[in-house]
Amino acid sequence: MKRRKKQQSQEVTAKVDESLAKPLFKDLEDNLTFLEETLGKSSDLVVRRFTLDKSKSCAVIYIDGMVDKNTVQHFIMDALLLEAPKSGLSFRHVYETLKDSALPIGELTETSQFDDLLLKLLSGETIVLLDHEKKGFAASTKGWVNRGVQENTSEGVIRGPKEAFTETLRINTSMLRRKIRDPNLRMDAKRIGRMTKTDTVVVYIKDTADQSIVDEVHARLDKIDIDGVLESGYIEEYIEDSPYSPFPRVYYSERPDSIAAGLLEGRVAIITDGTPNVLLVPALFVNFMQSSEDYYQRFDIGTIIRMLRLFSFIVALFLPALYIAVSTFHQEMIPAPLLINLAAQREGVPFPAFAEAVLMEITFEVLREAGVRLPRPVGSAVSIVGALVLGEAAVQAGLVSPAMVIVVAMTAISSFVIPSYNMAISIRMLRFLLMILAATFGLYGIILGMISIVLHLCSLKSFGVPYMSPFAPLVAKDQKDVLVRFPHWRLFSRPQTTAHSNQSRASGPAQGKGGSQ
Protein backbone atom coordinates (compact mmCIF):
# COMPACT_ATOMS: atom_id res chain seq x y z
CA MET A 1 0.00 0.00 0.00
CA LYS A 2 2.81 2.43 0.93
CA ARG A 3 4.65 1.59 -2.27
CA ARG A 4 1.49 2.21 -4.31
CA LYS A 5 0.90 5.58 -2.62
CA LYS A 6 4.51 6.59 -3.24
CA GLN A 7 4.19 5.61 -6.90
CA GLN A 8 0.97 7.63 -7.25
CA SER A 9 2.65 10.65 -5.61
CA GLN A 10 5.56 10.43 -8.03
CA GLU A 11 3.13 10.17 -10.97
CA VAL A 12 1.25 13.29 -9.84
CA THR A 13 4.53 15.16 -9.41
CA ALA A 14 5.65 14.10 -12.86
CA LYS A 15 2.37 15.33 -14.38
CA VAL A 16 2.68 18.69 -12.65
CA ASP A 17 6.27 19.14 -13.83
CA GLU A 18 5.30 18.04 -17.33
CA SER A 19 2.47 20.60 -17.48
CA LEU A 20 4.94 23.41 -16.72
CA ALA A 21 7.65 22.23 -19.10
CA LYS A 22 6.27 23.97 -22.15
CA PRO A 23 7.36 27.02 -24.15
CA LEU A 24 6.07 30.52 -23.61
CA PHE A 25 3.12 31.78 -25.61
CA LYS A 26 3.59 34.45 -28.23
CA ASP A 27 0.81 36.61 -26.79
CA LEU A 28 1.78 38.53 -23.65
CA GLU A 29 -1.66 38.31 -22.03
CA ASP A 30 -1.71 34.53 -22.44
CA ASN A 31 1.64 34.31 -20.64
CA LEU A 32 0.46 36.54 -17.79
CA THR A 33 -2.79 34.63 -17.43
CA PHE A 34 -0.96 31.30 -17.27
CA LEU A 35 1.46 32.62 -14.64
CA GLU A 36 -1.31 34.04 -12.47
CA GLU A 37 -3.33 30.83 -12.65
CA THR A 38 -0.28 28.67 -11.91
CA LEU A 39 0.59 30.73 -8.83
CA GLY A 40 -3.04 30.91 -7.73
CA LYS A 41 -3.20 34.70 -8.13
CA SER A 42 -0.97 35.07 -5.07
CA SER A 43 -1.05 38.40 -3.29
CA ASP A 44 2.75 38.77 -3.41
CA LEU A 45 2.89 38.37 -7.21
CA VAL A 46 3.49 41.79 -8.76
CA VAL A 47 2.74 42.30 -12.48
CA ARG A 48 3.50 45.76 -13.93
CA ARG A 49 2.42 46.32 -17.53
CA PHE A 50 4.09 48.89 -19.82
CA THR A 51 3.30 50.26 -23.24
CA LEU A 52 6.42 51.04 -25.23
CA ASP A 53 4.37 52.59 -28.01
CA LYS A 54 0.92 52.10 -29.50
CA SER A 55 1.61 48.55 -30.68
CA LYS A 56 4.36 47.27 -28.38
CA SER A 57 3.74 46.28 -24.76
CA CYS A 58 5.72 44.49 -22.08
CA ALA A 59 5.37 43.39 -18.46
CA VAL A 60 7.66 43.28 -15.42
CA ILE A 61 6.93 40.41 -13.01
CA TYR A 62 8.44 39.74 -9.59
CA ILE A 63 7.63 38.37 -6.14
CA ASP A 64 7.22 41.09 -3.54
CA GLY A 65 9.65 40.67 -0.63
CA MET A 66 12.19 38.61 -2.59
CA VAL A 67 13.63 41.37 -4.81
CA ASP A 68 15.47 44.61 -4.24
CA LYS A 69 12.81 47.15 -5.21
CA ASN A 70 15.38 49.89 -5.77
CA THR A 71 17.12 47.74 -8.37
CA VAL A 72 13.83 46.91 -10.06
CA GLN A 73 12.79 50.58 -10.12
CA HIS A 74 16.05 52.20 -11.25
CA PHE A 75 17.54 49.57 -13.52
CA ILE A 76 14.48 47.94 -15.08
CA MET A 77 11.38 50.15 -14.90
CA ASP A 78 13.24 53.40 -15.52
CA ALA A 79 15.04 51.78 -18.43
CA LEU A 80 11.77 50.61 -19.94
CA LEU A 81 10.01 53.93 -19.43
CA LEU A 82 12.79 56.38 -20.25
CA GLU A 83 15.16 54.48 -22.53
CA ALA A 84 12.77 52.16 -24.30
CA PRO A 85 13.08 51.80 -28.08
CA LYS A 86 11.20 54.37 -30.11
CA SER A 87 8.37 53.59 -32.44
CA GLY A 88 9.10 52.30 -35.89
CA LEU A 89 11.17 49.29 -34.78
CA SER A 90 9.97 45.76 -35.33
CA PHE A 91 9.15 43.46 -32.38
CA ARG A 92 12.37 41.55 -32.93
CA HIS A 93 14.42 44.76 -32.90
CA VAL A 94 12.71 45.83 -29.67
CA TYR A 95 13.71 42.55 -28.01
CA GLU A 96 17.32 42.77 -29.18
CA THR A 97 17.61 46.44 -28.18
CA LEU A 98 16.32 45.78 -24.68
CA LYS A 99 18.67 42.85 -24.26
CA ASP A 100 21.79 44.55 -25.61
CA SER A 101 21.57 48.14 -24.43
CA ALA A 102 18.42 49.22 -22.64
CA LEU A 103 18.53 47.06 -19.47
CA PRO A 104 21.58 47.96 -17.32
CA ILE A 105 21.57 44.71 -15.28
CA GLY A 106 24.78 42.78 -14.72
CA GLU A 107 23.25 39.29 -14.74
CA LEU A 108 20.60 38.97 -17.47
CA THR A 109 19.56 35.56 -18.83
CA GLU A 110 17.03 34.48 -21.42
CA THR A 111 14.22 32.05 -20.63
CA SER A 112 11.77 30.41 -23.00
CA GLN A 113 10.16 27.67 -20.85
CA PHE A 114 7.54 28.18 -18.16
CA ASP A 115 9.23 25.82 -15.68
CA ASP A 116 12.53 27.71 -15.96
CA LEU A 117 10.75 31.06 -15.78
CA LEU A 118 8.82 30.07 -12.64
CA LEU A 119 11.96 28.76 -10.97
CA LYS A 120 13.76 32.04 -11.61
CA LEU A 121 10.72 34.05 -10.52
CA LEU A 122 10.36 32.13 -7.25
CA SER A 123 14.11 32.44 -6.65
CA GLY A 124 13.93 36.23 -6.43
CA GLU A 125 14.65 37.24 -10.02
CA THR A 126 12.60 39.75 -12.02
CA ILE A 127 11.03 38.62 -15.30
CA VAL A 128 10.57 40.91 -18.31
CA LEU A 129 8.18 39.65 -21.01
CA LEU A 130 7.40 41.26 -24.37
CA ASP A 131 4.34 40.94 -26.52
CA HIS A 132 4.75 38.91 -29.74
CA GLU A 133 7.93 37.32 -28.31
CA LYS A 134 8.23 33.71 -27.11
CA LYS A 135 11.24 34.51 -24.93
CA GLY A 136 11.79 36.66 -21.88
CA PHE A 137 14.50 38.10 -19.65
CA ALA A 138 15.34 37.07 -16.11
CA ALA A 139 17.20 39.83 -14.28
CA SER A 140 19.11 39.08 -11.08
CA THR A 141 17.46 41.38 -8.51
CA LYS A 142 17.54 39.20 -5.39
CA GLY A 143 17.26 41.34 -2.31
CA TRP A 144 15.30 39.66 0.47
CA VAL A 145 15.92 40.55 4.09
CA ASN A 146 18.64 38.45 5.74
CA ARG A 147 20.05 38.18 9.23
CA GLY A 148 23.51 39.39 8.27
CA VAL A 149 26.83 38.20 9.60
CA GLN A 150 26.74 37.98 13.38
CA GLU A 151 28.84 36.52 16.17
CA ASN A 152 28.89 32.77 16.55
CA THR A 153 26.98 31.65 19.66
CA SER A 154 27.09 27.85 19.37
CA GLU A 155 30.89 27.42 19.04
CA GLY A 156 32.40 30.12 21.19
CA VAL A 157 36.14 30.77 21.28
CA ILE A 158 38.39 33.09 23.27
CA ARG A 159 40.78 33.76 20.42
CA GLY A 160 39.82 33.67 16.77
CA PRO A 161 37.22 35.04 14.34
CA LYS A 162 33.79 35.71 15.82
CA GLU A 163 31.84 35.71 12.55
CA ALA A 164 29.39 32.94 11.69
CA PHE A 165 27.59 31.66 8.63
CA THR A 166 24.10 32.99 7.91
CA GLU A 167 20.97 31.62 6.24
CA THR A 168 21.87 33.25 2.89
CA LEU A 169 23.80 31.02 0.50
CA ARG A 170 25.78 33.71 -1.32
CA ILE A 171 26.94 35.34 1.89
CA ASN A 172 28.27 31.96 3.03
CA THR A 173 30.12 31.27 -0.22
CA SER A 174 31.63 34.77 -0.18
CA MET A 175 32.92 34.22 3.37
CA LEU A 176 34.77 31.12 2.19
CA ARG A 177 36.08 32.95 -0.89
CA ARG A 178 37.40 35.69 1.37
CA LYS A 179 39.40 33.15 3.39
CA ILE A 180 40.61 30.95 0.51
CA ARG A 181 41.60 33.19 -2.41
CA ASP A 182 42.68 30.37 -4.65
CA PRO A 183 41.41 29.85 -8.21
CA ASN A 184 41.22 26.10 -7.54
CA LEU A 185 38.40 26.61 -5.03
CA ARG A 186 35.42 25.00 -6.76
CA MET A 187 31.75 25.61 -6.00
CA ASP A 188 29.35 23.23 -7.79
CA ALA A 189 25.69 24.26 -7.57
CA LYS A 190 22.76 21.87 -7.19
CA ARG A 191 19.04 22.11 -6.44
CA ILE A 192 17.55 19.54 -4.09
CA GLY A 193 13.86 19.10 -3.31
CA ARG A 194 10.98 18.69 -5.74
CA MET A 195 8.98 21.54 -4.18
CA THR A 196 11.48 23.70 -2.30
CA LYS A 197 14.24 23.40 -4.95
CA THR A 198 16.77 24.35 -2.29
CA ASP A 199 20.04 25.71 -3.61
CA THR A 200 23.01 23.63 -2.49
CA VAL A 201 26.69 24.18 -3.23
CA VAL A 202 29.44 21.56 -3.05
CA VAL A 203 32.73 23.26 -2.17
CA TYR A 204 36.19 21.74 -2.51
CA ILE A 205 39.71 22.64 -3.61
CA LYS A 206 40.68 21.07 -6.89
CA ASP A 207 43.88 18.97 -6.83
CA THR A 208 43.73 18.95 -3.01
CA ALA A 209 40.51 17.06 -2.30
CA ASP A 210 40.37 13.43 -3.36
CA GLN A 211 38.39 13.38 -6.61
CA SER A 212 36.79 10.04 -5.71
CA ILE A 213 35.33 11.63 -2.54
CA VAL A 214 34.06 14.60 -4.56
CA ASP A 215 32.39 12.25 -7.05
CA GLU A 216 30.85 10.26 -4.20
CA VAL A 217 29.41 13.43 -2.66
CA HIS A 218 27.85 14.41 -5.98
CA ALA A 219 26.47 10.90 -6.48
CA ARG A 220 24.82 10.80 -3.06
CA LEU A 221 23.34 14.27 -3.45
CA ASP A 222 21.94 13.38 -6.88
CA LYS A 223 20.14 10.36 -5.40
CA ILE A 224 18.18 12.49 -2.89
CA ASP A 225 14.50 12.45 -3.85
CA ILE A 226 12.44 14.45 -1.37
CA ASP A 227 9.79 17.13 -1.66
CA GLY A 228 11.64 19.69 0.45
CA VAL A 229 14.96 20.47 2.16
CA LEU A 230 14.61 23.05 4.94
CA GLU A 231 17.92 22.50 6.73
CA SER A 232 21.22 20.72 6.16
CA GLY A 233 20.09 17.99 8.59
CA TYR A 234 17.84 16.63 5.82
CA ILE A 235 20.87 16.16 3.57
CA GLU A 236 23.00 14.78 6.39
CA GLU A 237 20.64 11.85 6.97
CA TYR A 238 20.59 11.01 3.26
CA ILE A 239 24.35 11.00 2.66
CA GLU A 240 25.83 9.60 5.89
CA ASP A 241 27.22 6.08 6.16
CA SER A 242 25.78 3.60 8.70
CA PRO A 243 22.62 5.56 9.53
CA TYR A 244 21.85 3.48 12.64
CA SER A 245 25.12 4.22 14.39
CA PRO A 246 24.92 6.63 17.36
CA PHE A 247 28.13 8.38 16.29
CA PRO A 248 27.95 11.23 13.74
CA ARG A 249 29.71 10.66 10.42
CA VAL A 250 29.11 14.15 9.01
CA TYR A 251 30.68 17.17 10.67
CA TYR A 252 28.85 20.49 10.67
CA SER A 253 29.84 23.95 11.85
CA GLU A 254 28.72 27.58 11.77
CA ARG A 255 32.31 28.85 11.74
CA PRO A 256 33.78 29.83 8.35
CA ASP A 257 37.34 29.36 9.64
CA SER A 258 36.56 25.79 10.70
CA ILE A 259 35.10 24.90 7.30
CA ALA A 260 37.98 26.66 5.49
CA ALA A 261 40.48 24.64 7.53
CA GLY A 262 38.68 21.44 6.51
CA LEU A 263 38.81 22.44 2.85
CA LEU A 264 42.56 23.07 3.13
CA GLU A 265 42.92 19.52 4.50
CA GLY A 266 41.23 18.08 1.43
CA ARG A 267 37.68 17.71 2.70
CA VAL A 268 34.44 18.63 0.92
CA ALA A 269 31.89 21.13 2.26
CA ILE A 270 28.16 21.21 1.50
CA ILE A 271 26.42 24.57 1.89
CA THR A 272 22.62 24.60 2.00
CA ASP A 273 20.56 27.72 1.46
CA GLY A 274 18.43 28.65 4.46
CA THR A 275 20.70 27.36 7.23
CA PRO A 276 23.97 28.53 8.81
CA ASN A 277 25.13 24.95 9.43
CA VAL A 278 27.62 23.86 6.75
CA LEU A 279 28.39 20.15 6.37
CA LEU A 280 31.94 18.83 6.03
CA VAL A 281 32.90 15.33 4.82
CA PRO A 282 34.59 12.99 5.36
CA ALA A 283 34.30 13.37 9.13
CA LEU A 284 36.60 11.41 11.43
CA PHE A 285 36.27 10.77 15.14
CA VAL A 286 39.19 13.07 15.95
CA ASN A 287 37.51 15.98 14.14
CA PHE A 288 34.75 16.06 16.76
CA MET A 289 37.33 16.35 19.54
CA GLN A 290 39.11 19.33 17.99
CA SER A 291 38.29 23.03 17.96
CA SER A 292 39.43 25.78 15.61
CA GLU A 293 40.89 27.60 18.61
CA ASP A 294 43.48 24.83 18.98
CA TYR A 295 45.33 26.38 16.05
CA TYR A 296 45.13 29.97 17.30
CA GLN A 297 46.72 29.28 20.68
CA ARG A 298 50.33 28.19 21.12
CA PHE A 299 50.92 24.55 20.27
CA ASP A 300 51.62 23.52 23.88
CA ILE A 301 48.42 25.13 25.13
CA GLY A 302 46.45 23.53 22.28
CA THR A 303 47.89 20.12 23.17
CA ILE A 304 46.95 20.45 26.85
CA ILE A 305 43.40 21.48 25.94
CA ARG A 306 43.06 18.47 23.63
CA MET A 307 44.21 16.16 26.41
CA LEU A 308 41.66 17.77 28.70
CA ARG A 309 38.92 17.12 26.15
CA LEU A 310 39.90 13.47 25.86
CA PHE A 311 39.82 13.12 29.65
CA SER A 312 36.41 14.81 29.74
CA PHE A 313 35.15 12.44 27.03
CA ILE A 314 36.15 9.43 29.15
CA VAL A 315 34.59 10.94 32.31
CA ALA A 316 31.32 11.82 30.55
CA LEU A 317 31.02 8.33 29.11
CA PHE A 318 32.16 6.06 31.95
CA LEU A 319 31.90 7.87 35.32
CA PRO A 320 28.23 7.04 36.23
CA ALA A 321 28.67 3.42 35.10
CA LEU A 322 31.91 3.13 37.06
CA TYR A 323 30.26 4.48 40.22
CA ILE A 324 27.38 2.01 39.86
CA ALA A 325 29.70 -0.96 39.28
CA VAL A 326 32.06 -0.16 42.18
CA SER A 327 29.35 0.71 44.71
CA THR A 328 27.21 -2.33 43.80
CA PHE A 329 29.63 -5.19 43.01
CA HIS A 330 33.20 -4.16 43.83
CA GLN A 331 33.14 -2.46 47.24
CA GLU A 332 36.56 -3.95 48.03
CA MET A 333 38.11 -1.50 45.53
CA ILE A 334 36.99 1.50 47.62
CA PRO A 335 39.24 2.63 50.51
CA ALA A 336 37.70 1.84 53.90
CA PRO A 337 37.16 5.46 55.10
CA LEU A 338 35.47 6.41 51.80
CA LEU A 339 33.38 3.24 51.83
CA ILE A 340 32.12 4.04 55.34
CA ASN A 341 31.14 7.56 54.24
CA LEU A 342 29.35 6.27 51.15
CA ALA A 343 27.49 3.65 53.20
CA ALA A 344 26.41 6.33 55.69
CA GLN A 345 25.15 8.56 52.85
CA ARG A 346 23.17 5.74 51.26
CA GLU A 347 21.70 4.48 54.52
CA GLY A 348 18.41 6.31 54.05
CA VAL A 349 18.22 6.06 50.24
CA PRO A 350 15.47 3.57 49.24
CA PHE A 351 16.74 2.99 45.67
CA PRO A 352 19.70 0.98 44.37
CA ALA A 353 22.61 2.87 42.84
CA PHE A 354 21.41 2.17 39.28
CA ALA A 355 17.89 3.59 39.86
CA GLU A 356 19.42 6.52 41.69
CA ALA A 357 21.75 7.30 38.79
CA VAL A 358 19.03 6.94 36.16
CA LEU A 359 16.73 9.25 38.13
CA MET A 360 19.39 11.94 38.41
CA GLU A 361 20.55 11.62 34.79
CA ILE A 362 17.01 11.89 33.40
CA THR A 363 16.31 14.87 35.67
CA PHE A 364 19.42 16.63 34.41
CA GLU A 365 18.60 15.87 30.76
CA VAL A 366 15.13 17.38 31.27
CA LEU A 367 16.67 20.50 32.82
CA ARG A 368 19.19 20.78 29.98
CA GLU A 369 16.47 20.52 27.33
CA ALA A 370 14.31 23.03 29.19
CA GLY A 371 17.21 25.46 29.31
CA VAL A 372 17.59 25.20 25.52
CA ARG A 373 13.88 25.63 24.68
CA LEU A 374 13.05 28.43 27.10
CA PRO A 375 13.69 32.06 26.13
CA ARG A 376 17.36 32.93 26.49
CA PRO A 377 17.03 35.38 29.45
CA VAL A 378 14.98 32.79 31.36
CA GLY A 379 16.54 29.51 30.22
CA SER A 380 19.92 29.80 31.94
CA ALA A 381 18.36 30.97 35.21
CA VAL A 382 15.80 28.15 35.22
CA SER A 383 18.42 25.47 34.48
CA ILE A 384 20.85 26.68 37.14
CA VAL A 385 18.24 27.30 39.84
CA GLY A 386 16.41 24.08 38.95
CA ALA A 387 19.59 22.00 39.24
CA LEU A 388 20.57 23.54 42.57
CA VAL A 389 17.10 23.37 44.10
CA LEU A 390 16.25 19.90 42.84
CA GLY A 391 19.64 18.47 43.79
CA GLU A 392 19.52 19.88 47.30
CA ALA A 393 15.87 18.89 47.77
CA ALA A 394 16.52 15.34 46.51
CA VAL A 395 19.39 14.92 48.99
CA GLN A 396 17.35 16.34 51.88
CA ALA A 397 14.41 14.08 51.02
CA GLY A 398 16.65 11.02 51.00
CA LEU A 399 15.94 10.14 47.36
CA VAL A 400 19.59 10.32 46.26
CA SER A 401 22.94 10.43 47.99
CA PRO A 402 25.27 13.46 47.86
CA ALA A 403 27.91 11.33 46.12
CA MET A 404 25.52 10.61 43.26
CA VAL A 405 24.80 14.33 42.86
CA ILE A 406 28.56 14.94 42.56
CA VAL A 407 28.94 12.14 39.98
CA VAL A 408 26.09 13.44 37.80
CA ALA A 409 27.35 17.02 38.05
CA MET A 410 30.88 15.98 37.04
CA THR A 411 29.46 13.99 34.13
CA ALA A 412 27.38 16.94 32.91
CA ILE A 413 30.24 19.42 33.15
CA SER A 414 32.56 17.04 31.30
CA SER A 415 30.07 16.64 28.45
CA PHE A 416 30.04 20.41 27.96
CA VAL A 417 33.79 20.36 27.25
CA ILE A 418 33.30 18.43 23.98
CA PRO A 419 33.22 21.01 21.12
CA SER A 420 30.79 19.11 18.88
CA TYR A 421 27.18 19.10 20.03
CA ASN A 422 26.15 16.00 18.07
CA MET A 423 29.07 14.01 19.50
CA ALA A 424 28.01 15.07 23.02
CA ILE A 425 24.51 13.74 22.29
CA SER A 426 25.99 10.39 21.25
CA ILE A 427 27.87 10.18 24.54
CA ARG A 428 24.68 10.96 26.47
CA MET A 429 22.90 8.03 24.76
CA LEU A 430 25.73 5.54 25.25
CA ARG A 431 26.08 6.53 28.90
CA PHE A 432 22.70 4.93 29.72
CA LEU A 433 23.70 1.71 27.93
CA LEU A 434 26.92 1.49 29.96
CA MET A 435 24.96 2.14 33.16
CA ILE A 436 22.72 -0.85 32.40
CA LEU A 437 25.75 -3.07 31.73
CA ALA A 438 27.41 -1.87 34.95
CA ALA A 439 24.28 -2.61 37.00
CA THR A 440 24.07 -6.10 35.46
CA PHE A 441 27.68 -7.33 35.25
CA GLY A 442 29.73 -4.77 37.18
CA LEU A 443 33.17 -3.84 35.82
CA TYR A 444 32.98 -6.80 33.42
CA GLY A 445 29.94 -5.18 31.81
CA ILE A 446 31.78 -1.87 31.45
CA ILE A 447 34.73 -3.62 29.80
CA LEU A 448 32.35 -5.50 27.50
CA GLY A 449 30.64 -2.23 26.56
CA MET A 450 33.97 -0.49 25.98
CA ILE A 451 35.19 -3.28 23.68
CA SER A 452 31.89 -3.17 21.75
CA ILE A 453 32.15 0.61 21.31
CA VAL A 454 35.75 0.40 20.09
CA LEU A 455 34.92 -2.40 17.63
CA HIS A 456 31.94 -0.43 16.35
CA LEU A 457 34.03 2.72 15.91
CA CYS A 458 36.70 0.81 14.00
CA SER A 459 34.05 -0.64 11.65
CA LEU A 460 32.63 2.76 10.66
CA LYS A 461 33.57 4.71 7.56
CA SER A 462 32.81 8.20 6.34
CA PHE A 463 32.76 8.42 2.53
CA GLY A 464 35.15 5.50 2.31
CA VAL A 465 37.60 6.84 4.91
CA PRO A 466 38.01 4.78 8.13
CA TYR A 467 36.29 6.63 10.97
CA MET A 468 39.09 6.03 13.50
CA SER A 469 41.97 6.98 11.23
CA PRO A 470 44.75 7.92 11.75
CA PHE A 471 44.61 5.51 14.75
CA ALA A 472 43.08 2.54 12.95
CA PRO A 473 44.61 2.12 10.48
CA LEU A 474 47.65 3.76 12.02
CA VAL A 475 49.07 6.63 9.96
CA ALA A 476 52.31 7.76 11.60
CA LYS A 477 52.60 10.99 9.58
CA ASP A 478 49.17 12.23 10.73
CA GLN A 479 49.90 11.83 14.45
CA LYS A 480 51.33 15.37 14.52
CA ASP A 481 47.83 16.85 14.66
CA VAL A 482 45.64 14.39 16.57
CA LEU A 483 46.12 14.03 20.31
CA VAL A 484 48.94 16.56 20.28
CA ARG A 485 49.37 19.55 18.02
CA PHE A 486 52.80 20.21 16.64
CA PRO A 487 53.81 23.82 15.83
CA HIS A 488 52.57 25.17 12.53
CA TRP A 489 56.08 25.12 11.11
CA ARG A 490 56.14 21.33 11.69
CA LEU A 491 52.75 20.68 10.08
CA PHE A 492 54.15 20.71 6.54
CA SER A 493 51.91 17.93 5.12
CA ARG A 494 48.17 17.52 4.84
CA PRO A 495 46.36 14.53 6.39
CA GLN A 496 47.09 11.48 4.29
CA THR A 497 43.55 10.10 4.81
CA THR A 498 41.84 12.98 2.96
CA ALA A 499 44.44 14.65 0.71
CA HIS A 500 46.12 12.25 -1.71
CA SER A 501 47.22 14.34 -4.67
CA ASN A 502 48.51 17.50 -2.98
CA GLN A 503 50.05 16.61 0.36
CA SER A 504 52.42 19.53 0.72
CA ARG A 505 51.13 22.25 3.05
CA ALA A 506 54.44 24.09 3.53
CA SER A 507 57.96 23.84 2.15
CA GLY A 508 59.10 21.68 5.07
CA PRO A 509 60.12 21.74 8.71
CA ALA A 510 62.55 24.56 8.01
CA GLN A 511 59.62 26.96 8.24
CA GLY A 512 59.82 29.07 11.42
CA LYS A 513 62.38 29.37 14.17
CA GLY A 514 62.39 25.69 15.00
CA GLY A 515 63.38 24.58 11.54
CA SER A 516 66.60 23.00 12.70
CA GLN A 517 64.69 20.39 14.72
Side-chain angles (χ1 to χ4, degrees), residues 285-327:
F285 178 80
V286 295
N287 299 140
F288 298 95
M289 294 290 127
Q290 298 173 353
S291 172
S292 57
E293 192 177 10
D294 297 348
Y295 301 92
Y296 307 145
Q297 302 285 356
R298 286 172 42 196
F299 70 94
D300 50 352
I301 298 176
T303 299
I304 293 174
I305 294 176
R306 285 187 180 181
M307 294 294 184
L308 182 63
R309 289 199 200 105
L310 181 61
F311 174 76
S312 300
F313 171 82
I314 296 173
V315 170
L317 186 59
F318 292 104
L319 184 59
L322 187 62
Y323 175 81
I324 293 172
V326 172
S327 61

Side-chain angles (χ1 to χ4, degrees), residues 312-469:
S312 300
F313 171 82
I314 296 173
V315 170
L317 186 59
F318 292 104
L319 184 59
L322 187 62
Y323 175 81
I324 293 172
V326 172
S327 61
T328 305
F329 295 100
H330 310 282
Q331 294 90 348
E332 68 278 0
M333 299 180 63
I334 306 175
L338 180 58
L339 180 61
I340 295 172
N341 289 334
L342 292 178
Q345 294 175 16
R346 291 190 47 80
E347 185 177 359
V349 178
F351 306 112
F354 172 71
E356 187 182 2
V358 170
L359 176 64
M360 288 299 299
E361 287 287 347
I362 292 178
T363 302
F364 184 80
E365 293 297 333
V366 171
L367 286 172
R368 185 192 333 230
E369 192 67 17
V372 173
R373 304 304 165 196
L374 285 171
R376 185 172 300 177
V378 183
S380 58
V382 169
S383 58
I384 294 174
V385 174
L388 292 175
V389 172
L390 286 177
E392 182 66 22
V395 172
Q396 294 294 332
L399 297 178
V400 296
S401 62
M404 180 56 71
V405 175
I406 296 174
V407 169
V408 173
M410 284 293 299
T411 304
I413 294 172
S414 299
S415 65
F416 290 141
V417 178
I418 300 173
S420 176
Y421 180 72
N422 50 351
M423 179 59 75
I425 295 177
S426 302
I427 295 173
R428 287 154 58 183
M429 292 189 298
L430 291 174
R431 188 162 60 228
F432 285 95
L433 177 62
L434 290 172
M435 288 164 58
I436 295 174
L437 291 174
T440 307
F441 303 107
L443 288 178
Y444 301 103
I446 296 178
I447 296 174
L448 177 63
M450 182 176 64
I451 294 175
S452 301
I453 291 174
V454 172
L455 290 176
H456 176 68
L457 286 171
C458 293
S459 67
L460 295 177
K461 287 187 177 182
S462 177
F463 286 82
V465 180
Y467 192 60
M468 289 302 293
S469 60

Side-chain angles (χ1 to χ4, degrees), residues 52 61 86 92 103 138 168 245 265 275 325 331 351 408 439 441 493:
L52 301 181
I61 313 162
K86 306 301 180 183
R92 185 61 184 172
L103 293 178
T168 306
S245 172
E265 290 182 349
T275 175
Q331 294 90 348
F351 306 112
V408 173
F441 303 107
S493 61

